[in-house]
Amino acid sequence: GLLSVRDSDFVDNQAANQGAAIRSTAITTLIERSSLRENASPSGGAALSVSNATDVTVLTSTFHRNTAGSRADSVAVVGVRASTIAGQIQQGLQVLSGAVIPTVSVRATVFAANADHCQFIGGFGANSMAWNHVDVADALCAPAASNSSVGPALLAPEARRDDDGTSWHRVPLTGSPLI
């Protein structure tokens, strides 16, 4: 099956385990132009938890101040593009290999003020990390040869709603290297 979430805002949800905002076992999961804010669970993936799937894709979305950002467990392909993962109390992006060896691609994504930006557990296929920005050096999210940048992102401390009112973002402040 397909789970497709577009132009949505998930805020202040709680779960006893994981996936407080979104928990999916769909074959394909797509999150696009959405915000997942201040969701809580005691284990990984408070905002988004996907397991036993073919692929999960996150496009132009914001993960803001969740207890943990996103978790993909036994997912063949994990893709994140042009998104912001900031202020997660635990990891920003957690990928676990299980029955399948995942391929991970993260591009043009900002990681800021997370306890741990990227966490990959188990074996992995071809990873593609490029054009990301991290506020502290992270060999997984921004390897040395990836055209990624390291340094303070200078994001607004609170998420702000888009002009069209569809989703929330952590916008760069004046002087940010993201501008």
Side-chain angles (χ1 to χ4, degrees), residues 7 16 20 60 76 106 116 122 142 152 168:
D7 302 319
T60 58
V106 180
D116 186 6
W168 294 72

Side-chain angles (χ1 to χ4, degrees), residues 111 118 129-130 132-134 136-146 148-150:
F111 293 88
C118 289
M129 309 299 217
N132 297 317
H133 181 87
V134 294
V136 295
D138 187 305
L140 291 175
C141 289
S146 68
S148 294
S149 57
V150 178

Side-chain angles (χ1 to χ4, degrees), residues 32-179:
E32 186 174 15
R33 295 182 313 270
S34 294
S35 53
L36 296 96
R37 305 176 295 122
E38 300 176 6
N39 299 289
S41 72
S43 61
L48 171 64
S49 178
V50 179
S51 59
N52 302 312
T54 302
D55 67 277
V56 58
T57 303
V58 176
L59 302 171
T60 58
S61 294
T62 299
F63 292 75
H64 169 69
R65 207 179 288 151
N66 300 288
T67 57
S70 59
R71 175 184 178 138
D73 186 357
S74 297
V75 175
V77 178
V78 177
V80 180
R81 303 276 185 285
S83 295
T84 300
I85 301 174
Q88 310 313 302
I89 295 170
Q90 298 171 24
Q91 72 283 343
L93 172 64
Q94 182 183 57
V95 181
L96 298 92
S97 63
V100 297
I101 303 298
T103 297
V104 180
S105 175
V106 180
R107 294 182 172 273
T109 294
V110 176
F111 293 88
N114 301 304
D116 186 6
H117 294 315
C118 289
Q119 189 178 73
F120 299 163
I121 301 171
F124 290 90
N127 291 340
S128 175
M129 309 299 217
W131 304 105
N132 297 317
H133 181 87
V134 294
D135 58 354
V136 295
D138 187 305
L140 291 175
C141 289
S146 68
N147 294 316
S148 294
S149 57
V150 178
L154 300 177
L155 297 173
E158 296 298 323
R160 296 181 186 168
R161 187 178 286 278
D162 277 348
D163 291 338
D164 64 7
T166 58
S167 62
W168 294 72
H169 300 282
R170 294 275 304 268
V171 298
L173 298 171
T174 301
S176 171
L178 306 175
I179 297 175

